[in-house]
Structures are given as structure tokens and as C-alpha cells.
Amino acid sequence: MSIDRREFLRTSAAAAAGLSLTSVAAPGTAEGAAVGEPAPLKASLARPVVIASDNGLRGVAKAYEMIGKGSDPLDAIVAGVNIQELDPEDQSVGLGGLPNEEGVVQLDASCMHGPTRRAGAVASLEGIATPSLVAKAVMDYTDHILLVGPGAKKFALNMGFKEQNLLTEKSRQDWLRWKARLNANDNWLDHDDDIKIKFSTGTINMNAVTATGDVASVTTTSGLAWKLPGRVGDSPIVGAGQYCDNSVGAAGSTGRGEANIKVCGAFLAVEFMRQGMAPEQALMKVMERVIAMTEKRLLNDRGRPYFDLHFYALAKDGRYSSATAYQGGQFAVASDKGARLEDSVYLFKSEERPARR
Ligand code: GLY
């Protein structure tokens, strides 16, 4: 991404000096008034901006268009991620997501609305293809933030969501292949030897800032493929899978949730931006923290992680970035330059990536 050089130097210098550039938004305002701190960054960069994981290219275009027509930023990005949730070909999200070890699709999602400082989330939700909308309903209609399992499903049905079978034939076949390979001595026959067992921690995260500087964030996933029933990743954890603060910006993640939960990565990224770091710097610091907090069994002898984790950050002034441990990651962006994929920054060259264990 292009970062205004003067702004980059200013924020880098401030971060290096350990200065706080914190500003506090006045309730109900977009730009917010600084309280006893330097003024918020001027809107010198293009806004609106919408960013997402690389599977969100269609979604960022949709959200950007909606924001341009005056939509609320959270409504816009939820509509953006709904495209993937309802796409049976995306096996990391919603309908067609890879199931748990028992062949049951369990979905997680959370969202935050910057202007009103509200959040909602659901975890281990079964039978409803759009957990992002259920998370938003929790936010809009209840005094709670997180509903799980049968309670989340009951709530969704009461709110008028329709139950459906989320396990597509393609995902069921993948599950059967995984199951057959688990134990050579069980009663399941092996399928085709060449077939690669899919393994996914795919997810979609999307973040937006409007022309007037209001921010929102959402993350939705079917979670880790073949997980233990009831396993919940980072996506529905506010502060881990996504987070936003209307006076600073938004952030989120995709990839191995267990690695992110321990550092509250989305919250940490927003806090680093609050301290004055540019999104790119903030995310690199978060990636470093993830690795510092990773148990030895998940690192090779050079300290390189065996897993993938991807972070995304969008500052209130329109700057944005994405970071991953290894070279080669991309993310989706929509701005006045259109919708496109851009390269993520990274800690390690791709040749340093160890073979998955
Ligand atoms: N980041 C998605 C998950 O770990 O469930």
C-alpha cells in the first residue's frame, strides 16, 4: 500500500519515542475531538476504504459500493462477507464450510460498530448460513455480546433466520476422506491415495472506514477443519478475530485462531495504531508478538511457525495494511482506485516456511 511518507515518518518517530497519539472520539461523532492529546490525523488519504482477507474481493467491492451510497459501514461489510458465507464453494465460511470431526458444520462470527461502540458474536452455531448476521442481531437486539451453541441457534431461529443443511456434498466427501485416513485399522476404507486431505483455518475478515471516518469490523468462519466439536477459534472473540475503535481504526485476522487468541491480535493492532504506529508497523509488531507467545512444538528450530496467521488493519484516516508470517500473502482492498488484491507485508521469506507437520 502507499503510505504518505511524511505521515509514516511522523508516526514512526512517535512510536519509536514511545509517544502516545491517543485521541478520544466524542460520543456520536465520526472524527471525534481530541481530549488532551494531539489532534486526530487529518483525512488526507482517500476514504472510504474497505479491506478484507483475499477471499473478500467481491465482498469489498460490494461494501465499498454500499458505503458510497450512504450505507452504515457495518451493514456494508456484513453484506460483503455474506457473499462468502452463502457461497458453497468457499469451504472456510458459512454454507459449505468444512465440518468438525463428527461431520457437523459449526460456525463462528463477531462484529463491531465503531460509531455506537457496540459488538455482537456467535460461536458454535449450527444450521444457519450467515453467522455474521446473527452476530449483528445479537448486537442490535440484546444486552449480550456472545451467544454460543444451541442458545445461539435458538436465538437465530427466534429472529427469523432459516435453518438449512450447511454440509455440502463436496465438504462431506472431504470429511469422509479425512476420516478414512485417521486410522489404518479402522472400518473405513481408504479412498484414492492421491487425494490431498484439505486442512483449513480459512475465514473472512472485513473492515471499513467511511468518508467521514466511521469504522466497523466483522469476521466469520467455519473454523478449523475437523476440529473437536465445540472448538471455538479467534473469529467470535471480540479483540482477537476483529476489533474496532471509532477514534483509531479497525483490525482483524484469519488463520490459526489458537495463535491469535493468546495475543488478542485485533485489539493489540488497534492499540498499536492508537500509540501512533502506521497499520503496517502495528501488524508487524503483532506478528512478532504472536511468535514470541507460540509454544515450542509449533516452531521449528529456527523459531519459524508451522502455521499460518494473517492480520489486517485499517486506520481511521484510510491507511491500511495486512501482515503475515511468510511472504506470499495477499488481501483485498476497495478504494477510489477500485477493488483489487494487494501484497501483504511479512516477517519471513517464503523459503523459510517449514513443511507443515
Ligand atoms: N481464524 C479462524 C479459526 O481459527 O477458527
Side-chain angles (χ1 to χ4, degrees), residues 92 108 200-204 219-225 227 231-236 241 253-261 308-310:
S92 71
D108 303 332
S200 164
T201 48
T203 295
I204 180 166
T219 300
T220 174
T221 189
S222 51
L224 182 65
K227 61 194 173 187
R231 176 269 188 188
V232 169
D234 57 338
S235 303
S253 75
T254 59
R256 183 181 159 82
E258 283 78 359
N260 180 29
I261 289 172
D308 286 314
L309 187 58
H310 215 136

Side-chain angles (χ1 to χ4, degrees), residues 8 17 20 28 32 36 48 74 107 119 124 132 139 151 174 228 234-235 293 309 327 342 355:
F8 182 81
S20 167
L74 184 56
L107 305 177
S124 286
S132 64
M139 183 187 93
D174 286 331
L228 297 181
D234 57 338
S235 303
M293 285 293 288
L309 187 58
Q327 182 180 23
E342 293 193 12

